[in-house]
Amino acid sequence: MMMKILGAIVAVCLAIFLFYQAHGMEGISLARFGYILGAVVLIVVTVIIFVPEKPDEQE
């Protein structure tokens, strides 16, 4: 569990760094789009790992 938390912290820090790098770029480029997409993917994967699945409610 500790490695999972450490991995999530590293992923969020990397995402913040990628957003920072993309913010400093001029115009719209493929590199800037890649930084933003990479940061979004890291945040989404981190959230998916830590949000527990709800059991299916069958009536």
Side-chain angles (χ1 to χ4, degrees):
M1 183 66 173
M2 186 64 176
M3 289 301 292
K4 196 175 184 182
I5 293 171
L6 183 64
I9 291 170
V10 169
V12 169
C13 289
L14 181 58
I16 291 169
F17 176 73
L18 289 175
F19 276 129
Y20 175 76
Q21 288 291 92
H23 177 73
M25 292 182 168
E26 297 279 332
I28 297 175
S29 66
L30 191 59
R32 185 177 189 181
F33 179 71
Y35 281 135
I36 293 170
L37 185 65
V40 169
V41 167
L42 278 171
I43 291 172
V44 168
V45 168
T46 303
V47 168
I48 288 173
I49 288 173
F50 279 99
V51 173
E53 293 182 19
K54 286 188 172 182
D56 292 336
E57 298 289 331
Q58 294 183 359
E59 297 179 16

